[in-house]
Amino acid sequence: MYKIYTKTGDKGTTALFGGSRVDKDSLKVEAYGTVDELISSIGFAYSKIQLTEQREELRNIQKKLFNLGAELASDENGIKYLKEIVTKEDIEYLEKLTDKYMEITGPLREFVIPGKNEISASLHIARTVCRRAERRIITLKREESLREEVSKYINRLSDTLFAIARYFEEM
């Protein structure tokens, strides 16, 4: 039988992709752990949506977040082996999605209080997790070098999630 536990983290450390070990409460682990939480939050919203186009958009975002999380979970050695990273084109994709949904819903005329329906509420939860991930990434950037695309992608994503949540509030 395959076991998922390794016992290597029992002393409070975890392995990065590349082989080095860090404390489980390090800024690096906080950052990629929050991105992991974000992926799951988006997955919850995804599970509630029936519309194919929006499901595909959210699934694409989740895949990009896996790449972003892998980059955050890598040490200098592991970074060299990553096959996909978040790019400028991925950031532009988010900007186009945001513009698309803001055009549909129109200008914001009042504060949005989450909870109009289950889908929009779940997207707002994902948005707030995204903001926390951004804070963790910005803090991490003070300690180690990160590519600009990492923080830009996560910043744009919170706007995208907000715009999609508004779309589902209007449905």
Side-chain angles (χ1 to χ4, degrees), residues 2-160:
Y2 176 74
K3 295 180 182 181
I4 64 167
Y5 55 87
T6 63
K7 301 181 184 181
T8 59
D10 289 351
K11 293 182 180 171
T13 65
T14 191
L16 297 176
F17 181 62
S20 63
R21 295 193 72 79
V22 295
D23 291 331
K24 287 188 176 187
D25 64 350
S26 73
L27 290 175
K28 192 167 203 52
V29 176
E30 278 290 324
Y32 75 71
T34 307
V35 169
D36 186 35
E37 186 180 345
L38 174 57
I39 294 165
S40 295
S41 295
I42 292 170
F44 182 74
Y46 174 92
S47 75
K48 300 292 180 186
I49 296 171
Q50 300 301 313
L51 303 171
T52 303
E53 181 179 353
Q54 287 73 29
R55 286 175 64 86
E56 287 175 4
E57 291 165 349
L58 290 179
R59 186 60 82 207
N60 181 48
I61 290 167
Q62 285 180 298
K63 289 176 182 177
K64 296 300 176 183
L65 284 171
F66 267 107
N67 297 337
L68 189 143
E71 185 169 346
L72 291 171
S74 296
D75 60 21
E76 289 180 19
N77 186 47
I79 279 274
K80 297 181 253 181
Y81 296 100
L82 296 178
K83 294 182 178 155
E84 292 187 44
I85 57 174
V86 170
T87 65
K88 178 182 167 197
E89 290 75 25
D90 297 324
I91 295 163
E92 290 169 354
Y93 171 77
L94 291 179
E95 291 170 351
K96 288 176 186 169
L97 276 183
T98 303
D99 293 344
K100 170 183 142 181
Y101 286 107
M102 292 304 289
E103 187 174 316
I104 292 168
T105 58
L108 189 60
R109 291 184 172 75
E110 59 188 23
F111 286 108
V112 173
I113 300 174
K116 189 169 183 180
N117 60 56
E118 196 171 18
I119 294 173
S120 68
S122 65
L123 286 163
H124 280 295
I125 290 169
R127 174 187 57 79
T128 62
V129 173
C130 187
R131 287 288 189 204
R132 182 161 28 93
E134 181 180 22
R135 292 189 300 271
R136 299 295 185 264
I137 289 167
I138 295 304
T139 303
L140 179 61
K141 277 179 74 169
R142 288 190 196 115
E143 283 197 4
E144 66 179 67
S145 177
L146 293 175
R147 293 180 319 108
E148 284 298 313
E149 289 83 358
V150 171
S151 55
K152 284 182 180 181
Y153 185 86
I154 210 81
N155 179 266
R156 295 302 185 289
L157 180 56
S158 61
D159 295 333
T160 303

